[in-house]
């Protein structure tokens, strides 16, 4: 029987980059699985583009894996709170899928909270397959594209009023932004609210 990761990849569209022999120096664990996955299919989308796995290498479509994980595209805006997450993909809202110390995690771009899936990419794939419409954001991207047309692979959706601050998961609360820009917009606010308790009152001073 095919593993959850194999089932996920069987539904995927790709590759997004040229064939590559990816090697992170580890043959086992999540990094070993990620290297095998990208060597087999170098970046892909699944669930109608609701989930995107980054390509490795200079030529291709959408964010590049190593460049995405350096400080310049977006991580430096998170005041160190994203530095330990090696992000290998994202959903349509820019929620990051990553690896932290041999654990596969979800990284919330609005709060910097991390949710652990398990110690294998199979745990992540099983979670996505459990509910592609919600976990894989296939329903959200389909509704957006029915109204506004397709996103390109460098674009994600971002709420005008952040979900963590009471914004609604509704079409009129969403905007299209470049994926890295969308992360940079949220980073400084996420760094400020990360340690606040639920229900805390928040105010911001806007500067040029």
């Amino acid at each position: 029987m095919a593993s959850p990761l194999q089932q996920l990849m069987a539904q995927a569209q790709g590759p997004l980059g040229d064939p590559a022999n990816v090697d992170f120096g580890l043959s086992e664990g999540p990094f070993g699985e990620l290297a095998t996955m990208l060597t087999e299919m170098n970046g892909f989308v699944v669930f109608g583009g609701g989930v995107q796995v980054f390509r490795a290498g200079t030529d291709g479509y959408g964010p590049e894996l190593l460049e995405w994980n350096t400080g310049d595209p977006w991580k430096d805006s998170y005041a160190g709170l994203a530095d330990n997450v090696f992000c290998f993909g994202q959903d349509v809202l820019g929620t990051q899928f990553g690896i932290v110390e041999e654990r596969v995690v979800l990284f919330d771009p609005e709060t910097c909270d991390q949710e652990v899936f398990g110690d294998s990419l199979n745990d992540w794939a099983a979670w996505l397959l459990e509910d592609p419409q919600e976990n894989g954001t296939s329903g959200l991207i389909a509704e957006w594209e029915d109204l506004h047309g397709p996103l390109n692979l460098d674009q994600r959706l971002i709420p005008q009023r952040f979900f963590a601050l009471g914004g609604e998961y509704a079409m009129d609360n969403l905007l299209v932004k470049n994926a890295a820009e969308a992360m940079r917009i949220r980073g400084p606010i996420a760094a400020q609210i990360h340690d606040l308790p639920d229900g805390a009152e928040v105010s911001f001073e806007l500067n040029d």
Side-chain angles (χ1 to χ4, degrees), residues 38 62 65 77 87 105 109 116 123 149 161 169 171 174 177 208:
L38 293 177
L65 180 69
S77 69
C87 302
V105 304
V116 176
D123 298 316
R161 181 175 182 180
Y169 287 83
M171 292 296 104
L174 297 175
K177 292 286 185 182
D208 292 339

Side-chain angles (χ1 to χ4, degrees), residues 3-14 41 44-49 51 125 128-130 132 138:
S3 70
L5 187 56
Q6 290 170 332
Q7 294 176 48
L8 185 72
M9 293 182 68
Q11 301 179 36
Q13 295 176 299
M41 185 183 296
F44 58 82
V45 295
V46 68
F47 307 139
V51 168
L128 290 173
L129 292 166
E130 182 180 303
S138 66

Side-chain angles (χ1 to χ4, degrees), residues 23 29 36 39 41 44 49 57-59 67 69 72 86-87 97 105 109 127 135 137 153 166-167 169 172 183 190 195:
D23 186 357
T36 298
T39 299
M41 185 183 296
F44 58 82
T58 55
D59 295 326
E67 181 181 359
N69 282 283
D72 290 345
F86 187 84
C87 302
F97 305 120
V105 304
W127 176 80
N135 297 346
T137 61
L153 291 168
Y169 287 83
D172 60 4
M183 297 297 288
D195 291 324

Side-chain angles (χ1 to χ4, degrees), residues 19 112 166 180 184:
C112 304
R184 294 190 70 85

